[in-house]
Amino acid sequence: MSAKTAITVSRARMYEVIRAPLITEKDQPTAPSTARVTFRVSMDATKPEIKQAVEACSRSRSRRVNTVTVKGKAKLFKGRPGIRSDWKKAIVLAGRGSQDRP
């Protein structure tokens, strides 16, 4: 096993990685003790980049980052078939002892 190498992400890249927070009923935790936040992120973002960007923006530790690539739906646009773009979702779980949500 190799040691984990720390990556450094520039401030500009951090703002490119995290696009927007996702606030839906499905993305919110049911238990108030679960500090889980969902973000829409860029397609080329990696888990270490997402973790570092969230920690820098929220000033709290992140314990785990899960990512999901959401496939675009086939829809009709003015009667013509089209496909929505794929996008990436990141679910960030706050570290132990973090009282504030990221």
Side-chain angles (χ1 to χ4, degrees):
M1 294 223 124
S2 63
K4 291 184 181 181
T5 59
I7 63 163
T8 56
V9 179
S10 68
R11 202 62 144 152
R13 176 65 181 156
M14 286 183 194
Y15 287 108
E16 289 175 7
V17 166
I18 297 177
R19 298 282 171 93
L22 285 177
I23 303 171
T24 63
E25 290 178 5
K26 188 175 182 181
D27 291 324
Q28 295 304 313
T30 56
S33 63
T34 306
R36 188 174 69 196
V37 182
T38 307
F39 295 98
R40 190 174 192 146
V41 296
S42 63
M43 286 292 287
D44 61 340
T46 62
K47 287 183 181 184
E49 284 179 334
I50 295 167
K51 183 175 181 177
Q52 189 172 3
V54 170
E55 287 177 353
C57 292
S58 66
R59 295 182 180 90
S60 66
R61 301 293 298 168
S62 299
R63 187 169 52 173
R64 185 173 63 208
V65 176
N66 294 336
T67 57
V68 178
T69 302
V70 180
K71 300 296 180 186
K73 295 170 125 180
K75 302 291 275 186
L76 291 177
F77 297 103
K78 295 187 179 181
R80 296 180 179 227
I83 300 176
R84 288 186 181 169
S85 300
D86 297 346
W87 56 283
K88 195 175 209 179
K89 174 168 59 170
I91 302 153
V92 180
L93 185 67
R96 294 182 194 271
S98 293
Q99 295 297 334
D100 57 359
R101 299 180 79 152

